[in-house]
Amino acid sequence: MRFNKLDLNLLVALDALLAERNISRAGQRLHLSQPAMSNALARLRDYFGDELLAVQGRQMVLTPRALGLIEPVREVLARIDSTITTPPVFDPASATRTFVLLLSDFTTAVFVPPLLEALYREARGIGIELRALNDKPGEQLDQGDADLLVIPAQFAAPGHPSQPLFEEEYLCVTWNGNSRIRTQLTFEDYVECGHVVANYATGQQRAAFDGWFLERFGIKRRVEVSAPSMTALAQMVIGTDRIATMHRRLALQAEKVLPIRLWPPPLEVPTLVQTLQWHRHRDADPALQWLRELALRVGRAI
């Protein structure tokens, strides 16, 4: 199909090229050979009268014309997906479809199990693909690489709808053999002990907490261990006098199997609000509407 002499099939190729900025990776994304992808790029260059991707050193960079096409092309493809390819009705009992969710290991541990249980009861043909948050979750949502994004409210992608999913508080965790903290955890203990923290994919959440702590109290926590997982923090204080500040649900899970003690934070830590977010052009997708409603119901119950 052509529109204004442009083969509309080339829009998909253009979107992949603009996202990957590499002919081979764009081809892999669309399951096309490199020669086929090179041919698509040649036709696009001819249509737009622009190189689109230009060689610079050992890599390819987007021309100014290509940079200006990123958002319009994504918008067009997202609208096509939401208005033409989406079925008008959705029957969860008979549907066979896979949804992609972007989320942290914390959300995976506390939210996903009851979600999967509910899906098994109500829609056994529905599959779920879980993907870890990368350093640009908003771009993953923009590019259509995910159906739903679960992320703290302050880091939600701008321009897309969202709803609160559930709230979480924090507890402090120490080894039950901690030589300093025996009967209570004081603010002095909290400041003077070393800390084990999560090094999130985006790097923003840790920075947000430490920035808030510094702004509130004028001092920095002494971070001695940084880990890429929230669920592992409790294990990392064992055998030491360190402290981990953890999500309450994770801390309670860890307490059942580890030699640790839980303490209320000796300071008022802001409540975490986890939000459910989706692409604005998928707002009317009946299947995604159904999944959102199920997710919100599960979030209220955990």
Side-chain angles (χ1 to χ4, degrees), residues 17-18 21-22 41 45 51-55 60-63:
L17 288 164
L18 294 176
R21 307 184 184 195
N22 180 281
L41 177 58
R45 284 170 168 167
E51 282 292 293
L52 299 177
L53 273 78
V55 177
M60 302 191 81
V61 298
L62 300 184
T63 66

Side-chain angles (χ1 to χ4, degrees), residues 71-86 141-142 147 159-161 278-286 288 292:
E71 289 304 320
V73 170
R74 286 179 186 169
E75 289 280 327
V76 168
L77 293 178
R79 287 185 182 276
I80 291 172
D81 181 64
S82 63
T83 59
I84 297 177
T85 64
T86 300
L141 196 63
D142 282 335
D147 297 294
H160 297 292
W278 57 97
H279 197 287
R280 59 186 177 275
H281 293 320
R282 303 282 302 284
D283 201 48
D285 180 342
L288 199 56
R292 294 198 312 259

